[in-house]
Amino acid sequence: MDVIPSPEQLGNAAANAYDMVFRGGVADLRRTPARIIDEEPKRVVYRYLPQHDEPQHDLPVLFVPPLAAPTISFDLRRGCSMAEHFIAMGHPTYLVEYGSIAFSDRDLGLEFWVRDVLPNAIRTVSEDAGGKPVQLLGWCLGGIMSLLAVAGDSSLPVASVAAVASPFDFTRVRLAAPIRVASNVTNGFLGTALYRTFGGAPAPLVKWAFQLTSIDKYLTKPLAIATHLDDRDFLAQIEAVDHFMAHMHAYPGRTMGQLYHRFFRVNDLADGTLDLGDGEGEIELADVRVPVMAVAGKTDVLAPREAVFHLGSLLPSAPEVRIETAPGGHLGVLTGRSAAATTWTWIDEFFADTAATASRPARAPLRVVA
Protein backbone atom coordinates (compact mmCIF):
# COMPACT_ATOMS: atom_id res chain seq x y z
CA MET A 1 0.00 0.00 0.00
CA ASP A 2 1.01 3.60 -0.42
CA VAL A 3 2.21 5.57 2.59
CA ILE A 4 -1.13 7.36 2.42
CA PRO A 5 -3.50 4.65 1.13
CA SER A 6 -6.13 5.53 -1.44
CA PRO A 7 -9.80 4.76 -0.71
CA GLU A 8 -9.57 1.79 -3.09
CA GLN A 9 -6.53 0.39 -1.28
CA LEU A 10 -8.24 0.79 2.07
CA GLY A 11 -11.29 -1.01 0.77
CA ASN A 12 -9.23 -3.88 -0.62
CA ALA A 13 -7.24 -4.12 2.61
CA ALA A 14 -10.42 -4.27 4.68
CA ALA A 15 -11.91 -7.01 2.48
CA ASN A 16 -8.71 -9.04 2.59
CA ALA A 17 -8.37 -8.67 6.35
CA TYR A 18 -11.98 -9.81 6.82
CA ASP A 19 -11.42 -12.91 4.66
CA MET A 20 -8.17 -13.75 6.44
CA VAL A 21 -9.73 -13.50 9.91
CA PHE A 22 -13.29 -14.72 9.39
CA ARG A 23 -13.31 -16.75 6.16
CA GLY A 24 -10.24 -18.92 6.56
CA GLY A 25 -7.93 -17.04 4.21
CA VAL A 26 -7.64 -15.57 0.73
CA ALA A 27 -5.85 -18.37 -1.15
CA ASP A 28 -7.75 -20.94 -3.22
CA LEU A 29 -6.01 -24.11 -2.05
CA ARG A 30 -8.20 -26.58 -3.93
CA ARG A 31 -6.13 -29.24 -5.65
CA THR A 32 -6.22 -29.62 -9.42
CA PRO A 33 -8.39 -32.69 -10.17
CA ALA A 34 -6.42 -35.87 -10.81
CA ARG A 35 -7.02 -39.61 -10.86
CA ILE A 36 -4.80 -42.46 -9.70
CA ILE A 37 -3.48 -44.63 -12.53
CA ASP A 38 -1.07 -46.76 -10.46
CA GLU A 39 -0.64 -47.42 -6.74
CA GLU A 40 2.04 -49.38 -4.93
CA PRO A 41 3.79 -48.93 -1.57
CA LYS A 42 5.60 -45.55 -1.64
CA ARG A 43 4.51 -44.97 -5.24
CA VAL A 44 1.23 -43.43 -6.34
CA VAL A 45 1.02 -42.10 -9.89
CA TYR A 46 -1.65 -39.53 -10.75
CA ARG A 47 -2.81 -38.15 -14.06
CA TYR A 48 -4.18 -34.62 -13.86
CA LEU A 49 -7.53 -34.20 -15.58
CA PRO A 50 -7.79 -31.56 -18.32
CA GLN A 51 -10.23 -28.84 -17.31
CA HIS A 52 -11.41 -28.02 -20.83
CA ASP A 53 -10.76 -29.29 -24.33
CA GLU A 54 -7.11 -28.30 -24.44
CA PRO A 55 -5.12 -29.77 -27.33
CA GLN A 56 -2.81 -32.55 -26.10
CA HIS A 57 0.90 -32.47 -26.94
CA ASP A 58 2.52 -35.69 -28.08
CA LEU A 59 4.66 -36.38 -25.03
CA PRO A 60 3.58 -36.67 -21.37
CA VAL A 61 5.16 -34.71 -18.50
CA LEU A 62 5.86 -36.36 -15.13
CA PHE A 63 6.40 -34.19 -12.04
CA VAL A 64 9.05 -35.69 -9.73
CA PRO A 65 9.04 -34.15 -6.24
CA PRO A 66 11.85 -34.49 -3.71
CA LEU A 67 11.48 -36.65 -0.64
CA ALA A 68 10.02 -34.94 2.45
CA ALA A 69 8.40 -32.05 0.55
CA PRO A 70 4.67 -32.28 -0.14
CA THR A 71 3.65 -32.73 -3.77
CA ILE A 72 1.53 -29.58 -3.57
CA SER A 73 4.75 -27.82 -4.59
CA PHE A 74 3.59 -28.52 -8.17
CA ASP A 75 0.03 -27.42 -7.41
CA LEU A 76 0.50 -24.67 -4.83
CA ARG A 77 -2.76 -22.77 -5.30
CA ARG A 78 -5.25 -21.89 -8.00
CA GLY A 79 -3.75 -19.15 -10.14
CA CYS A 80 -0.18 -20.18 -9.25
CA SER A 81 -0.10 -23.89 -10.04
CA MET A 82 2.45 -25.57 -12.28
CA ALA A 83 -0.05 -28.38 -12.83
CA GLU A 84 -2.66 -25.90 -14.08
CA HIS A 85 -0.10 -24.30 -16.36
CA PHE A 86 1.08 -27.47 -18.08
CA ILE A 87 -2.46 -28.78 -18.46
CA ALA A 88 -3.49 -25.47 -20.05
CA MET A 89 -0.51 -25.73 -22.42
CA GLY A 90 -1.84 -29.10 -23.56
CA HIS A 91 0.60 -31.47 -21.88
CA PRO A 92 -0.68 -34.82 -20.58
CA THR A 93 0.49 -34.15 -17.02
CA TYR A 94 1.33 -36.68 -14.31
CA LEU A 95 2.65 -36.72 -10.75
CA VAL A 96 4.40 -39.38 -8.68
CA GLU A 97 3.79 -39.24 -4.93
CA TYR A 98 5.69 -41.20 -2.27
CA GLY A 99 3.29 -40.86 0.67
CA SER A 100 4.16 -40.36 4.30
CA ILE A 101 7.35 -41.83 5.78
CA ALA A 102 7.20 -43.85 9.00
CA PHE A 103 9.88 -45.25 11.31
CA SER A 104 9.30 -48.62 9.65
CA ASP A 105 10.60 -47.11 6.38
CA ARG A 106 14.01 -46.34 7.89
CA ASP A 107 15.80 -48.94 5.72
CA LEU A 108 14.71 -47.36 2.43
CA GLY A 109 17.69 -45.84 0.65
CA LEU A 110 18.22 -43.78 -2.48
CA GLU A 111 18.50 -46.98 -4.49
CA PHE A 112 14.83 -47.73 -3.74
CA TRP A 113 13.67 -44.42 -5.24
CA VAL A 114 16.19 -44.36 -8.11
CA ARG A 115 16.04 -48.00 -9.22
CA ASP A 116 12.47 -48.94 -8.26
CA VAL A 117 10.00 -46.12 -7.62
CA LEU A 118 10.93 -43.72 -10.43
CA PRO A 119 11.57 -46.29 -13.19
CA ASN A 120 8.21 -47.93 -12.50
CA ALA A 121 6.46 -44.55 -12.40
CA ILE A 122 8.07 -43.56 -15.71
CA ARG A 123 7.03 -46.80 -17.40
CA THR A 124 3.50 -46.45 -16.01
CA VAL A 125 3.17 -42.94 -17.44
CA SER A 126 4.57 -44.00 -20.80
CA GLU A 127 2.14 -46.91 -20.99
CA ASP A 128 -0.81 -44.70 -20.00
CA ALA A 129 0.22 -42.21 -22.72
CA GLY A 130 0.22 -44.89 -25.43
CA GLY A 131 3.87 -45.89 -25.21
CA LYS A 132 5.28 -42.40 -25.74
CA PRO A 133 8.52 -41.30 -24.03
CA VAL A 134 8.18 -39.20 -20.90
CA GLN A 135 9.48 -35.72 -20.16
CA LEU A 136 10.61 -35.52 -16.52
CA LEU A 137 10.36 -32.38 -14.40
CA GLY A 138 12.08 -32.75 -11.04
CA TRP A 139 12.48 -30.23 -8.24
CA CYS A 140 15.45 -30.27 -5.83
CA LEU A 141 16.28 -33.90 -4.96
CA GLY A 142 13.58 -34.90 -7.44
CA GLY A 143 15.74 -33.56 -10.25
CA ILE A 144 18.79 -35.40 -8.94
CA MET A 145 16.88 -38.67 -8.60
CA SER A 146 15.41 -38.24 -12.09
CA LEU A 147 18.85 -37.91 -13.69
CA LEU A 148 20.26 -40.81 -11.64
CA ALA A 149 17.34 -43.00 -12.72
CA VAL A 150 17.87 -42.12 -16.40
CA ALA A 151 21.63 -42.65 -16.14
CA GLY A 152 21.16 -45.98 -14.36
CA ASP A 153 18.72 -47.47 -16.85
CA SER A 154 19.13 -46.65 -20.53
CA SER A 155 15.95 -48.58 -21.36
CA LEU A 156 13.67 -46.08 -19.63
CA PRO A 157 11.27 -44.32 -22.05
CA VAL A 158 12.48 -40.77 -21.32
CA ALA A 159 12.64 -37.97 -23.87
CA SER A 160 14.16 -35.21 -21.72
CA VAL A 161 14.75 -34.05 -18.15
CA ALA A 162 14.24 -30.62 -16.56
CA ALA A 163 15.78 -30.15 -13.10
CA VAL A 164 14.78 -27.12 -11.02
CA ALA A 165 16.89 -26.08 -8.00
CA SER A 166 18.86 -29.35 -8.06
CA PRO A 167 22.43 -28.94 -6.70
CA PHE A 168 25.23 -31.18 -7.96
CA ASP A 169 28.21 -29.61 -6.19
CA PHE A 170 27.55 -29.38 -2.48
CA THR A 171 30.75 -27.47 -1.76
CA ARG A 172 28.96 -24.53 -3.39
CA VAL A 173 26.09 -24.78 -0.89
CA ARG A 174 27.29 -22.37 1.78
CA LEU A 175 24.50 -23.39 4.13
CA ALA A 176 26.00 -26.88 4.25
CA ALA A 177 29.46 -25.69 5.33
CA PRO A 178 28.74 -25.93 9.10
CA ILE A 179 27.44 -29.48 8.56
CA ARG A 180 30.70 -30.49 6.88
CA VAL A 181 32.79 -28.90 9.63
CA ALA A 182 30.79 -30.61 12.39
CA SER A 183 30.86 -33.96 10.61
CA ASN A 184 34.61 -33.77 10.05
CA VAL A 185 35.20 -32.99 13.72
CA THR A 186 33.02 -35.92 14.85
CA ASN A 187 33.87 -38.16 11.86
CA GLY A 188 30.18 -38.10 10.98
CA PHE A 189 29.13 -39.57 14.31
CA LEU A 190 26.72 -36.80 15.37
CA GLY A 191 24.62 -36.84 12.22
CA THR A 192 24.66 -40.63 12.07
CA ALA A 193 23.47 -40.91 15.66
CA LEU A 194 20.63 -38.49 15.03
CA TYR A 195 19.14 -40.15 11.95
CA ARG A 196 19.60 -43.63 13.41
CA THR A 197 17.87 -42.61 16.63
CA PHE A 198 14.86 -41.10 14.84
CA GLY A 199 14.85 -43.51 11.90
CA GLY A 200 15.52 -40.58 9.61
CA ALA A 201 14.79 -36.86 9.70
CA PRO A 202 11.40 -36.20 11.37
CA ALA A 203 8.93 -33.92 9.58
CA PRO A 204 9.22 -31.08 12.18
CA LEU A 205 13.00 -31.05 11.72
CA VAL A 206 12.63 -30.95 7.93
CA LYS A 207 10.19 -28.05 8.24
CA TRP A 208 12.52 -26.17 10.60
CA ALA A 209 15.50 -26.66 8.27
CA PHE A 210 13.51 -25.41 5.29
CA GLN A 211 12.33 -22.34 7.20
CA LEU A 212 15.90 -21.62 8.27
CA THR A 213 16.89 -21.09 4.63
CA SER A 214 14.59 -18.07 4.44
CA ILE A 215 14.61 -16.92 8.05
CA ASP A 216 14.68 -13.27 6.99
CA LYS A 217 11.33 -13.64 5.24
CA TYR A 218 9.79 -15.28 8.30
CA LEU A 219 11.04 -12.53 10.57
CA THR A 220 9.69 -9.80 8.31
CA LYS A 221 6.46 -11.59 7.31
CA PRO A 222 4.17 -9.57 9.65
CA LEU A 223 5.52 -6.32 8.20
CA ALA A 224 5.19 -7.65 4.64
CA ILE A 225 1.55 -8.61 5.26
CA ALA A 226 0.78 -5.22 6.78
CA THR A 227 2.32 -3.31 3.88
CA HIS A 228 0.63 -5.50 1.25
CA LEU A 229 -2.74 -5.90 2.91
CA ASP A 230 -4.45 -4.55 -0.21
CA ASP A 231 -2.67 -7.03 -2.52
CA ARG A 232 -4.78 -10.20 -2.52
CA ASP A 233 -2.44 -12.20 -4.76
CA PHE A 234 0.56 -11.40 -2.54
CA LEU A 235 -1.34 -12.50 0.56
CA ALA A 236 -2.59 -15.65 -1.17
CA GLN A 237 0.98 -16.64 -2.03
CA ILE A 238 2.12 -16.25 1.58
CA GLU A 239 -0.84 -18.29 2.77
CA ALA A 240 -0.17 -21.04 0.21
CA VAL A 241 3.51 -21.26 1.17
CA ASP A 242 2.53 -21.55 4.85
CA HIS A 243 0.17 -24.36 3.89
CA PHE A 244 3.00 -26.07 2.00
CA MET A 245 5.35 -25.76 4.98
CA ALA A 246 2.76 -27.26 7.33
CA HIS A 247 2.67 -30.51 5.32
CA MET A 248 6.33 -31.54 5.26
CA HIS A 249 7.16 -35.24 5.45
CA ALA A 250 10.03 -37.12 7.10
CA TYR A 251 13.15 -38.51 5.43
CA PRO A 252 13.70 -42.29 5.78
CA GLY A 253 16.82 -43.18 7.76
CA ARG A 254 18.96 -44.88 5.11
CA THR A 255 18.19 -42.19 2.54
CA MET A 256 19.04 -39.48 5.06
CA GLY A 257 22.29 -41.24 5.85
CA GLN A 258 23.26 -41.39 2.18
CA LEU A 259 22.48 -37.70 1.67
CA TYR A 260 24.44 -36.80 4.79
CA HIS A 261 27.53 -38.88 4.05
CA ARG A 262 27.62 -39.02 0.23
CA PHE A 263 26.37 -35.56 -0.66
CA PHE A 264 27.08 -33.18 2.22
CA ARG A 265 30.23 -34.73 3.74
CA VAL A 266 32.26 -35.97 0.78
CA ASN A 267 30.44 -34.40 -2.20
CA ASP A 268 30.30 -37.66 -4.14
CA LEU A 269 27.91 -36.32 -6.76
CA ALA A 270 30.28 -33.58 -7.95
CA ASP A 271 32.27 -35.96 -10.17
CA GLY A 272 29.13 -37.31 -11.81
CA THR A 273 29.33 -40.81 -10.34
CA LEU A 274 27.47 -42.31 -7.41
CA ASP A 275 27.56 -45.76 -5.84
CA LEU A 276 24.24 -46.42 -4.12
CA GLY A 277 25.69 -49.34 -2.19
CA ASP A 278 23.20 -51.85 -3.57
CA GLY A 279 25.70 -54.02 -5.43
CA GLU A 280 24.55 -52.73 -8.83
CA GLY A 281 27.67 -50.69 -9.46
CA GLU A 282 28.17 -46.97 -9.92
CA ILE A 283 25.70 -44.73 -11.72
CA GLU A 284 27.42 -42.29 -14.08
CA LEU A 285 25.68 -39.13 -15.23
CA ALA A 286 27.81 -39.37 -18.36
CA ASP A 287 25.35 -42.10 -19.40
CA VAL A 288 22.50 -39.58 -19.67
CA ARG A 289 21.77 -39.39 -23.39
CA VAL A 290 18.70 -37.18 -23.50
CA PRO A 291 18.37 -33.37 -23.53
CA VAL A 292 18.57 -31.76 -20.08
CA MET A 293 17.59 -28.39 -18.69
CA ALA A 294 18.66 -26.95 -15.33
CA VAL A 295 17.03 -23.90 -13.71
CA ALA A 296 18.52 -22.15 -10.68
CA GLY A 297 16.97 -19.56 -8.39
CA LYS A 298 18.71 -16.19 -8.06
CA THR A 299 18.28 -16.12 -4.27
CA ASP A 300 18.31 -19.87 -3.57
CA VAL A 301 20.62 -20.69 -0.64
CA LEU A 302 19.83 -24.43 -0.69
CA ALA A 303 20.77 -24.78 -4.34
CA PRO A 304 22.88 -21.76 -5.39
CA ARG A 305 23.37 -21.14 -9.08
CA GLU A 306 26.95 -22.44 -9.08
CA ALA A 307 25.85 -25.72 -7.45
CA VAL A 308 23.03 -26.17 -9.97
CA PHE A 309 25.02 -25.18 -13.06
CA HIS A 310 27.76 -27.67 -12.16
CA LEU A 311 25.47 -30.23 -13.80
CA GLY A 312 26.45 -28.85 -17.20
CA SER A 313 29.97 -30.27 -16.83
CA LEU A 314 28.69 -33.75 -15.92
CA LEU A 315 26.66 -34.56 -19.05
CA PRO A 316 29.07 -35.11 -21.96
CA SER A 317 26.68 -37.50 -23.71
CA ALA A 318 23.56 -35.34 -23.49
CA PRO A 319 22.66 -33.99 -26.95
CA GLU A 320 21.68 -30.66 -25.42
CA VAL A 321 22.05 -28.91 -22.06
CA ARG A 322 20.24 -25.67 -21.29
CA ILE A 323 20.81 -23.68 -18.12
CA GLU A 324 18.76 -20.74 -16.88
CA THR A 325 18.50 -18.50 -13.82
CA ALA A 326 15.07 -17.39 -12.65
CA PRO A 327 13.87 -15.13 -9.82
CA GLY A 328 13.16 -16.72 -6.46
CA GLY A 329 14.53 -18.88 -3.71
CA HIS A 330 14.31 -22.65 -3.41
CA LEU A 331 10.52 -22.84 -3.65
CA GLY A 332 9.98 -19.54 -5.41
CA VAL A 333 11.99 -20.52 -8.48
CA LEU A 334 9.61 -23.45 -8.93
CA THR A 335 6.30 -21.85 -8.09
CA GLY A 336 6.72 -18.21 -7.15
CA ARG A 337 4.48 -15.50 -8.57
CA SER A 338 6.98 -14.79 -11.38
CA ALA A 339 7.57 -18.47 -12.24
CA ALA A 340 4.86 -18.56 -14.92
CA ALA A 341 6.74 -15.99 -17.00
CA THR A 342 10.17 -17.53 -16.39
CA THR A 343 10.69 -21.10 -15.16
CA TRP A 344 7.43 -22.55 -16.47
CA THR A 345 7.69 -20.84 -19.85
CA TRP A 346 11.31 -21.92 -20.37
CA ILE A 347 10.56 -25.52 -19.45
CA ASP A 348 7.49 -25.55 -21.66
CA GLU A 349 9.59 -24.30 -24.59
CA PHE A 350 12.31 -26.85 -23.79
CA PHE A 351 9.78 -29.69 -23.71
CA ALA A 352 8.22 -28.50 -26.97
CA ASP A 353 11.63 -28.45 -28.66
CA THR A 354 12.69 -31.84 -27.35
CA ALA A 355 9.31 -33.37 -28.22
CA ALA A 356 9.72 -32.12 -31.79
CA THR A 357 13.16 -33.73 -32.08
CA ALA A 358 12.51 -36.88 -30.01
CA SER A 359 11.88 -39.03 -33.08
CA ARG A 360 14.73 -37.64 -35.18
CA PRO A 361 18.03 -39.53 -35.63
CA ALA A 362 20.74 -38.88 -33.03
CA ARG A 363 23.19 -36.09 -33.77
CA ALA A 364 26.50 -34.89 -32.39
CA PRO A 365 26.38 -33.45 -28.85
CA LEU A 366 25.31 -29.82 -28.70
CA ARG A 367 25.53 -27.68 -25.61
CA VAL A 368 23.37 -24.58 -25.26
CA VAL A 369 24.30 -22.48 -22.25
CA ALA A 370 22.25 -19.38 -21.47
Side-chain angles (χ1 to χ4, degrees), residues 128-129 196 248 285 328:
D128 187 75
R196 286 183 176 175
M248 287 289 186
L285 292 178

Side-chain angles (χ1 to χ4, degrees), residues 197-209:
T197 299
F198 293 105
L205 180 61
V206 175
K207 176 182 177 180
W208 175 81

Side-chain angles (χ1 to χ4, degrees), residues 231-244:
D231 188 339
R232 196 173 186 86
D233 190 65
F234 180 90
L235 299 175
Q237 187 72 5
I238 289 180
E239 185 180 314
V241 171
D242 286 345
H243 178 71
F244 166 85

Side-chain angles (χ1 to χ4, degrees), residues 99-346:
S100 59
I101 301 296
F103 185 80
S104 58
D105 299 316
R106 61 189 179 279
D107 292 330
L108 297 179
L110 274 174
E111 67 277 3
F112 174 68
W113 315 101
V114 169
R115 297 199 191 272
D116 184 329
V117 172
L118 286 186
N120 279 294
I122 291 166
R123 291 190 172 97
T124 295
V125 169
S126 177
E127 182 179 353
D128 187 75
K132 295 171 182 174
V134 181
Q135 296 173 306
L136 302 180
L137 200 173
W139 173 49
C140 188
L141 182 60
I144 295 173
M145 294 193 304
S146 295
L147 285 162
L148 290 174
V150 172
D153 187 348
S154 61
S155 71
L156 288 177
V158 172
S160 58
V161 180
V164 180
S166 301
F168 285 83
D169 181 356
F170 283 78
T171 63
R172 304 297 185 98
V173 182
R174 291 183 293 276
L175 198 66
I179 298 176
R180 285 193 295 273
V181 172
S183 66
N184 289 336
V185 171
T186 65
N187 198 28
F189 173 77
L190 182 60
T192 302
L194 286 173
Y195 70 71
R196 286 183 176 175
T197 299
F198 293 105
L205 180 61
V206 175
K207 176 182 177 180
W208 175 81
F210 202 95
Q211 289 175 327
L212 187 62
T213 65
S214 54
I215 188 65
D216 56 329
K217 291 184 178 180
Y218 278 92
L219 293 175
T220 60
K221 186 169 72 172
L223 178 61
I225 291 174
T227 56
H228 292 82
L229 197 55
D230 64 323
D231 188 339
R232 196 173 186 86
D233 190 65
F234 180 90
L235 299 175
Q237 187 72 5
I238 289 180
E239 185 180 314
V241 171
D242 286 345
H243 178 71
F244 166 85
M245 295 297 300
H247 290 81
M248 287 289 186
H249 302 303
Y251 270 107
R254 177 171 166 78
T255 299
M256 188 62 205
Q258 290 169 315
L259 295 176
Y260 174 62
H261 290 288
R262 304 284 180 84
F263 290 9
F264 287 98
R265 285 193 66 207
V266 298
N267 202 28
D268 264 359
L269 201 58
D271 64 358
T273 64
L274 187 67
D275 189 342
L276 296 175
D278 57 354
E280 297 293 326
E282 289 186 334
I283 293 179
E284 298 187 10
L285 292 178
D287 290 331
V288 173
R289 291 180 170 82
V290 298
V292 175
M293 182 176 200
V295 182
K298 288 183 179 178
T299 56
D300 190 348
V301 297
L302 275 179
R305 183 171 62 177
E306 297 82 2
V308 173
F309 286 2
H310 183 68
L311 175 64
S313 65
L314 305 178
L315 303 171
S317 303
E320 180 180 1
V321 178
R322 299 186 190 184
I323 57 176
E324 297 281 1
T325 304
H330 199 59
L331 180 61
V333 66
L334 179 78
T335 188
R337 293 197 299 161
S338 64
T342 54
T343 302
W344 301 356
T345 298
W346 297 334

